[in-house]
Amino acid sequence: SQELEQSPQSLIVQEGKNLTINCTSSKTLYGLYWYKQKYGEGLIFLMMLQKGGEEKSHEKITAKLDEKKQQSSLHITASQPSHAGIYLCGADPSSSGTYKYIFGTGTRLKVLA
Amino acid sequence: EAQVTQNPRYLITVTGKKLTVTCSQNMNHEYMSWYRQDPGLGLRQIYYSMNVEVTDKGDVPEGYKVSRKEKRNFPLILESPSPNQTSLYFCASSTTGDGYTFGSGTRLTVV
């Protein structure tokens, strides 16, 4: 079965610093989704990547899907305390879109003011 | 406002007492899903539904039941809850080409 591994597991950065979170799949990704979760709360959808080489940005967050479609990175520029939380990548293992999503175990981000 | 609504937010119950966690979405989404989130194990899918009357097991379906009689509702039923079902539960919905929209979560404790 397909697995998603995220690195690092946790990250503490000073406000204003850039950071990158990685999501690596054991199999080809047909759709890669990034979510943010505040502790104990629901997940907020950030962005979706489907094509190899695709890159999307939302405010100061940029996500890329590599050409081989087995790894994605999430980059935050000039981090702020509001960026703190858990970042999760999710994927649909099927090319036909079953929505039987799997998720990585998450990266906990803390931003020090 | 487009949203997925779960109820209750918090629930403490005793072993063996049947319970239902409700989930409703107002976006006319075809796909709905239930996940549980546990420390160190991440999010694991319990059941999902691709449309009305179409449901399928996820990775951890044991001890749970679901039904999808209407497009907007996807309740999660625990017929005989046990302590190992203590967890944070999320309902989510989606449509083709989009990510899941998640509910706020239900924190269940079974004693």
Side-chain angles (χ1 to χ4, degrees):
Chain A
S1 61
Q2 187 169 14
E3 292 184 351
L4 297 177
E5 186 174 330
Q6 286 186 237
S7 62
Q9 289 187 324
S10 63
L11 196 52
I12 302 174
V13 299
Q14 202 70 38
E15 182 177 2
K17 295 294 186 185
N18 302 336
L19 64 103
T20 299
I21 297 168
N22 293 305
C23 175
T24 302
S25 172
S26 57
K27 296 183 181 179
T28 299
L29 293 163
Y30 295 103
L32 190 286
Y33 305 81
W34 282 101
Y35 292 84
K36 179 186 174 185
Q37 182 182 24
K38 293 222 180 237
Y39 298 104
E41 297 181 14
L43 281 70
I44 298 168
F45 173 65
L46 296 175
M47 55 193 93
M48 173 178 72
L49 304 164
Q50 289 186 301
K51 300 175 185 175
E54 187 174 10
E55 179 175 322
K56 287 188 178 178
S57 294
H58 175 66
E59 298 179 345
K60 293 185 178 180
I61 301 176
T62 300
K64 300 178 188 178
L65 182 62
D66 77 351
E67 290 287 344
K68 293 182 179 178
K69 294 174 66 176
Q70 285 198 245
Q71 186 174 54
S72 177
S73 59
L74 185 86
H75 184 77
I76 298 177
T77 303
S79 58
Q80 301 168 352
S82 61
H83 287 127
I86 303 171
Y87 289 82
L88 296 105
C89 61
D92 188 337
S94 168
S95 59
S96 58
T98 63
Y99 287 79
K100 191 177 178 181
Y101 281 20
I102 59 172
F103 284 88
T105 50
T107 295
R108 291 176 177 266
L109 172 63
K110 188 171 183 178
V111 180
L112 302 175
Chain B
E1 180 190 351
Q3 58 185 0
V4 176
T5 303
Q6 291 178 233
N7 280 298
R9 286 294 309 274
Y10 302 91
L11 179 60
I12 301 174
T13 190
V14 296
T15 299
K17 186 176 182 182
K18 181 179 179 180
L19 67 92
T20 300
V21 184
T22 63
C23 174
S24 181
Q25 51 97 0
N26 62 0
M27 297 165 280
N28 202 36
H29 283 169
E30 312 91 273
Y31 305 98
M32 296 189 75
S33 192
W34 276 103
Y35 286 87
R36 60 179 289 175
Q37 187 175 37
D38 302 287
L41 296 175
L43 276 163
R44 294 178 293 168
Q45 195 174 52
I46 303 170
Y47 269 95
Y48 70 108
S49 171
M50 296 179 76
N51 217 321
V52 176
E53 303 291 3
V54 182
T55 62
D56 203 356
K57 295 177 181 178
D59 295 319
V60 288
E62 294 78 22
Y64 305 94
K65 285 176 60 178
V66 293
S67 67
R68 187 96 182 268
K69 294 186 170 64
E70 306 164 284
K71 199 170 187 179
R72 62 183 292 124
N73 295 323
F74 191 43
L76 179 69
I77 303 157
L78 284 72
E79 294 270 1
S80 183
S82 62
N84 65 14
Q85 292 179 298
T86 292
S87 187
L88 179 57
Y89 290 87
F90 290 104
C91 179
S93 73
S94 182
T95 189
T96 303
D98 213 351
Y100 268 121
T101 299
F102 279 79
S104 299
T106 296
R107 190 168 291 279
L108 172 66
T109 302
V110 183
V111 298

